[in-house]
């Protein structure tokens, strides 16, 4: 209860101050920037930045040295804040690392950086080197799922397991709503106004958690502000070779999740992954959209715990 109170108190105070002062926009931006950090802290995560050579990667991590490592990777245009409600279930038994990948969150953006999947995989390997982690379980959503598979193929000796959550990286047999929009020349991630943001946000989750209107307004403002940056990242990200011909090289124990209501990446992609990855474990979430680890965090965490516990002992504990 104390942790819940710590999370609610800043929110209540900010809402009261906002109503009294009429500072709706400022309060929304403050909440968007800070409350998720406070929540992550309540779950036992600390914020830090790790110099990997060409940049400093911001991240959440718990202080659990010597435990098996899990790396959790966010999707395109998202950041590390999508993971803590899922990740809190692993803080006792694992060393959890949740980075803001290049171009995202507190790591920031630089137009000179390469945002392709091979480049991001090299950065992930460099991050593990800096943290003195030889091997890790890797789980990633969307672009992070594409990166998870890319990393597992490129660095098999460093991948204890690979879990892809509604991942990009293959062509779906049936086009998603997003793919139809892209084919028509419109990228729903590149936001110009609040109406476009609301339409886009509705595509991201079938069961979104509650967020105050002022926070959604702040999110919309951030997308508008970052439009040119996101366009650059999208171009680099989609320049990466798709994985159909490489999936058989994913040798680590692997699991695939998909929400059957995903409007960004169509659930029909499951058949492509299953045809390509040997001994892939698959789970379809009914009534869930693109982000199961946010929409049904506890259910997804239980599924992931079961997967990790069923791995051979030498893999799960290395």
């Amino acid at each position: 209860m104390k942790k819940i109170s710590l999370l609610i108190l800043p929110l209540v105070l900010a809402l009261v101050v906002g109503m009294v002062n009429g500072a709706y926009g400022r309060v929304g931006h403050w909440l968007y920037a800070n409350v998720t950090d406070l929540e992550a802290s309540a779950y036992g995560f600390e914020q830090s930045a790790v110099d990997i050579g060409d940049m400093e990667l911001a991240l959440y991590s718990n202080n659990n040295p010597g435990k098996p490592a899990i790396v959790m990777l966010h999707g395109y245009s998202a950041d590390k804040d999508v993971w803590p409600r899922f990740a809190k279930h692993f803080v006792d038994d694992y060393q959890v690392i949740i980075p803001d990948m290049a171009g995202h969150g507190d790591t920031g953006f630089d137009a000179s950086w390469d945002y392709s999947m091979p480049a991001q995989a090299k950065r992930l390997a460099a991050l593990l080197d800096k943290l003195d982690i030889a091997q890790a379980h890797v789980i990633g959503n969307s672009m992070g799922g594409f990166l998870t598979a890319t990393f597992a193929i490129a660095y098999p000796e460093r991948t204890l397991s690979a879990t892809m959550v509604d991942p990009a990286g293959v062509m779906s047999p049936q086009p998603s709503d997003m793919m139809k929009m892209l084919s028509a020349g419109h990228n729903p991630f590149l936001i110009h106004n609040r109406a476009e943001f609301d339409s886009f946000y509705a595509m991201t989750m079938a069961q979104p958690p509650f967020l105050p209107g002022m926070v959604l307004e702040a999110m919309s403002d951030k997308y508008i502000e970052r439009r040119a940056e996101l366009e650059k990242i999208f171009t680099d990200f989609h320049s990466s070779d798709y994985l159909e011909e490489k999936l058989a090289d994913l040798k680590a124990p692997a699991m695939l999740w998909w929400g059957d209501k995903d409007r960004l990446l169509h659930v029909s992609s499951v058949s492509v992954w299953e045809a390509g990855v040997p001994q892939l474990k698959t789970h379809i979430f009914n009534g869930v959209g693109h982000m199961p680890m946010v929409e049904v965090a506890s259910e997804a965490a239980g599924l992931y715990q079961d997967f990790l516990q069923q791995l051979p002992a030498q893999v799960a504990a290395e």
Side-chain angles (χ1 to χ4, degrees), residues 65-217:
K67 295 290 187 177
I70 302 175
V71 179
M72 301 182 180
L73 301 173
H74 61 76
Y76 165 66
S77 84
D79 57 34
K80 62 185 181 299
D81 290 329
V82 300
W83 285 107
R85 291 187 184 181
F86 172 92
K88 69 180 181 180
H89 297 278
F90 302 91
V91 293
D92 291 336
D93 298 320
Y94 295 90
Q95 182 179 2
V96 181
I97 300 100
I98 313 174
D100 278 331
M101 298 305 294
H104 296 79
D106 294 325
T107 294
F109 172 87
D110 189 307
S112 68
W113 292 344
D114 181 354
Y115 299 99
S116 68
M117 291 298 93
Q120 296 283 41
K122 289 179 181 177
R123 294 184 184 115
L124 179 54
L127 174 63
L128 294 180
D129 287 342
K130 287 290 186 177
L131 296 175
D132 197 25
I133 295 173
Q135 297 176 303
H137 302 280
V138 187
I139 179 170
N141 172 238
S142 195
M143 181 189 74
F146 192 172
L147 177 55
T148 296
T150 301
F151 181 85
I153 293 167
Y155 300 93
E157 74 285 357
R158 308 200 68 170
T159 308
L160 295 176
S161 69
T163 299
M164 288 68 66
V165 182
D166 294 62
V170 304
M171 290 297 294
S172 61
Q174 299 180 46
S176 66
D177 289 351
M178 181 184 73
M179 292 308 297
K180 293 174 184 176
M181 297 171 73
L182 290 171
S183 295
H186 173 61
N187 186 338
F189 285 88
L190 304 182
I191 306 299
H192 296 80
N193 53 56
R194 177 62 191 273
E196 288 185 359
F197 174 79
D198 288 344
S199 177
F200 157 74
Y201 189 69
M203 295 174 65
T204 63
M205 289 176 279
Q207 300 183 38
F210 169 75
L211 288 176
M214 63 177 64
V215 173
L216 292 173
E217 183 76 20

